[in-house]
Amino acid sequence: MFEEDEVGTIELGKRADFAILAEDPTSTDPLNLKDISNVGTLIDGQIVYDNGLNLIEIGAVY
């Protein structure tokens, strides 16, 4: 608890767990959600999966 200076929003200097998807899941037919590919995954602010696009080089993450 009381980690609001470290987590809770996506901003520079904070830790984050999230996936970067190839398509917007909110504008995709629910039956096709399973077909959206994962471009990258960050856990605790560290890249743990990068599908080869080099997320830092293309500016997707810092």
Side-chain angles (χ1 to χ4, degrees):
M1 294 179 65
F2 307 110
E3 293 184 329
E4 51 274 339
D5 291 336
E6 297 177 36
V7 298
T9 58
I10 299 174
E11 57 187 284
L12 192 59
K14 290 192 175 183
R15 294 180 291 134
D17 298 350
F18 61 93
I20 301 170
L21 304 176
E23 298 174 43
D24 179 358
T26 64
S27 63
T28 301
D29 182 323
L31 296 175
N32 296 328
L33 288 173
K34 65 182 179 357
D35 299 323
I36 297 176
S37 60
N38 182 6
V39 174
T41 304
L42 286 84
I43 297 177
D44 201 19
Q46 301 296 309
I47 298 171
V48 296
Y49 173 74
D50 180 337
N51 76 345
L53 292 177
N54 194 340
L55 297 173
I56 293 174
E57 203 170 282
I58 64 171
V61 296
Y62 300 100

